[in-house]
Amino acid sequence: MPTLLRDTVGASWEKRGNAIWSQCPACRTWFPVSVVLTRPEAPDACCPACQQRFSLRPAPNAL
Amino acid sequence: MLDLRRFLADHAAAVWKLPDGLSNRHDLTALQHELDARSEYPVLFAPGVAPLNGSRAAIPVVTNLTASRELTARALGLKDHRGTAAWFAARTAVGIDPLVLPRGEAPVQEIVRERDADLTSLPVLTQHELEPGPYLTAAHATTYDPDTGVDNTAIQRCWVQGPRRMTFFPYPTSHNARNMRKFWARGEPCPVAFWIGHHPAVLLGSQAKLRYPESHWRAAGGVLGEPLRLVPSLTHGERIMVPADAEIVIEGFVPANELTADGPFGEYTGYLGPQTQAPVFDVSCISLRREAIYHDYGSGLTDMLVPDNMAMEGKLYELIKSVAPSLLNVHVPASGRRFHAYLQLRDPARGEARDALTAALAYRRVKTVIAVDEDVDIFSADSMLWALATRVQWSRDGIVIDGLSGSNLDPSLPEGANTASKLGVDATLPPPPRPGVPRAVPPYATVPQANRERARALVAAAGAGAVHWPRI
């Protein structure tokens, strides 16, 4: 599963960043992604550096 | 007849013709960053930028076309860029009906490529690091509402992925996205025509903030001061008209429900918007003028901010004037991206400044609005900060409203938030305790006018010696 990096959860009066970072499994480049790409129906992400396509969708639950 | 070429010729002194050898990756954008940092805004004309397919450079690139408020205002026929708000509101409200040319008479259809249409023959730029490839940034996407036939035009970014395919990213709440979803709901591809390159007055008029559905052609004519010449597009006919004097038109379809990754991309905020999903666009036809010029907007730079901000000033002026008649002027500064607005009022009645602030805060992504009196220059950051320093008590004069519409591209939004927290600041002076007496505020520290004029003359006479005086 590709790595996703987002800020920690905290109190409402503490500043938190809203960016989600993904790391390309091929060339290890980090780039910002929208939460939209983590939804089940989303297309594959595309590394802006090497153009490798990879999924950020959640794995289907095993029965 | 006004077009991009006429504008470049009329303002040749403001155009910097660049040397050959600049790359289509990052070079021109780097120049724009450098010039923005120096507050210098020449139009950039680059004749030798290679197209994406590596063939000989045949189409020059123009960028930084609208980085200067002064030059953009001159394109509108205005002597002073500070008068844009009221002028734009008036001209887009009245509008001028377009003029339709028959096919065969439109310069933008002088050259037609259908089977040999190739996006990679264009010198499309890759602007910023971490962007996945070359993007059209000044492509005005025209679609139409299938229920009413009314067209809509807006600039939307397109990642060129091959000779006949690119992404197309209409923001989900945009009018073009609404039209597209209507076609998709019928299981049909959405027809689109993108036009690139025209006189800055047409570019600004096309950015008028209108209702849905409402065509931009009348507003563009109003800003241009003459009927905008249109021609039926080659693929879509009269359902989608395109400006006859544009430089390049790309026509095609957005297939239903086909999405792909798009971005990251440098946005108006000055940050990269994240990679997201976007529809794809398949090219059916590209038409061009002979010796076409390719126009690019520097994304997130003053080049892109100035025209949209001027259009926002016109819209805010119209919205606020109806509730606050004392409104004199509006400025949406490039420094605030599209999040800040400054309102200048003349002798507002009690409560009127707050009425104006509340009306402004209701508008889309505007997040911080400051109201000041006539003696504060809303085009000077120093003057605005002086007003904040000396005319505001925050608990009394700040209005915070949570939950208003904002922008998902705002890096300060909490993750998952769909609305924004906004601030209005009343930095006006209190009105006089009764008519005919001074306000109960201290007078400025001033010198007599005669002494000031003598000082001005002395400074002017300092001549060459003044060149070496410190500036900060």
Side-chain angles (χ1 to χ4, degrees), chain B residues 241-369:
Chain B
M241 308 292 269
V242 292
D245 303 300
E247 294 291 323
I248 300 166
V249 171
I250 302 167
E251 302 174 14
F253 295 87
V254 178
N257 301 308
E258 186 176 340
L259 298 170
T260 190
D262 180 79
F265 185 73
E267 278 287 349
Y268 65 89
T269 55
Y271 299 79
L272 287 176
Q275 186 171 100
T276 185
Q277 65 185 18
V280 298
F281 172 85
D282 291 323
V283 174
S284 60
C285 169
I286 296 177
S287 69
L288 313 92
R289 292 179 73 155
R290 274 189 282 275
E291 297 178 354
I293 302 170
Y294 175 76
H295 175 218
D296 171 87
Y297 273 126
S299 192
L301 298 160
T302 49
D303 185 25
M304 184 182 129
L305 292 168
V306 163
D308 194 68
N309 289 14
M310 282 180 157
M312 278 179 67
E313 288 166 7
K315 185 64 180 181
L316 286 169
Y317 184 92
E318 175 205 328
L319 279 175
I320 299 165
K321 191 75 171 173
S322 60
V323 301
S326 64
L327 180 72
L328 276 182
N329 206 354
V330 179
H331 179 208
V332 178
S335 57
R337 303 297 161 154
R338 295 172 186 159
F339 295 137
H340 290 179
Y342 305 152
L343 313 180
Q344 190 183 52
L345 306 169
R346 173 179 287 159
D347 298 328
R350 283 202 188 273
E352 198 170 332
R354 285 181 165 244
D355 292 341
L357 289 168
T358 314
L361 289 172
Y363 183 71
R364 293 191 190 176
R365 59 179 87 84
V366 170
K367 192 170 72 165
T368 304
V369 186

Side-chain angles (χ1 to χ4, degrees), chain B residues 118-120 159-166:
Chain B
D118 182 359
L119 291 168
T120 66
W159 173 17
V160 175
Q161 297 186 318
R164 298 180 77 97
R165 175 161 272 211
M166 58 191 189

Side-chain angles (χ1 to χ4, degrees), chain A residues 6-7 16-21 29-37 41-49 51 53, chain B residues 130-133 159 161 259-264 272-278 408-416:
Chain A
R6 58 208 316 162
D7 207 339
R16 291 283 187 272
N18 65 13
I20 303 171
W21 290 84
T29 297
W30 286 97
F31 62 100
V33 296
S34 166
V35 67
V36 165
L37 292 180
E41 68 281 6
D44 285 350
C46 176
C47 175
Q51 313 285 297
R53 302 234 171 209
Chain B
L130 273 189
E131 289 173 358
W159 173 17
Q161 297 186 318
L259 298 170
T260 190
D262 180 79
L272 287 176
Q275 186 171 100
T276 185
Q277 65 185 18
N408 287 346
L409 291 170
D410 183 350
S412 68
L413 273 186
E415 188 184 339

Side-chain angles (χ1 to χ4, degrees), chain A:
Chain A
M1 177 73 183
T3 309
L4 282 180
L5 177 69
R6 58 208 316 162
D7 207 339
T8 53
V9 176
S12 62
W13 57 86
E14 295 172 350
K15 276 183 185 273
R16 291 283 187 272
N18 65 13
I20 303 171
W21 290 84
S22 176
Q23 187 175 39
C24 173
C27 73
R28 318 305 291 168
T29 297
W30 286 97
F31 62 100
V33 296
S34 166
V35 67
V36 165
L37 292 180
T38 67
R39 294 181 186 151
E41 68 281 6
D44 285 350
C46 176
C47 175
C50 71
Q51 313 285 297
Q52 172 76 31
R53 302 234 171 209
F54 57 96
S55 170
L56 294 176
R57 297 179 293 275
N61 291 329
L63 290 177

Side-chain angles (χ1 to χ4, degrees), chain B residues 35-106:
Chain B
L35 290 165
D36 269 12
R38 293 164 177 258
S39 300
E40 291 172 333
Y41 308 109
V43 176
L44 302 180
F45 184 88
V49 177
L52 296 177
N53 60 13
S55 60
R56 189 184 63 84
I59 298 178
V61 178
V62 155
T63 189
N64 235 37
L65 185 69
T66 47
S68 162
R69 278 189 69 103
E70 282 180 352
L71 191 62
T72 304
R74 291 214 297 268
L76 304 178
L78 292 172
K79 288 196 178 118
D80 188 348
H81 71 90
R82 291 171 293 189
T84 306
W87 183 92
F88 196 89
R91 293 292 279 265
T92 51
V94 173
I96 298 177
D97 284 335
L99 176 69
V100 178
L101 300 187
R103 284 183 187 163
E105 288 186 26

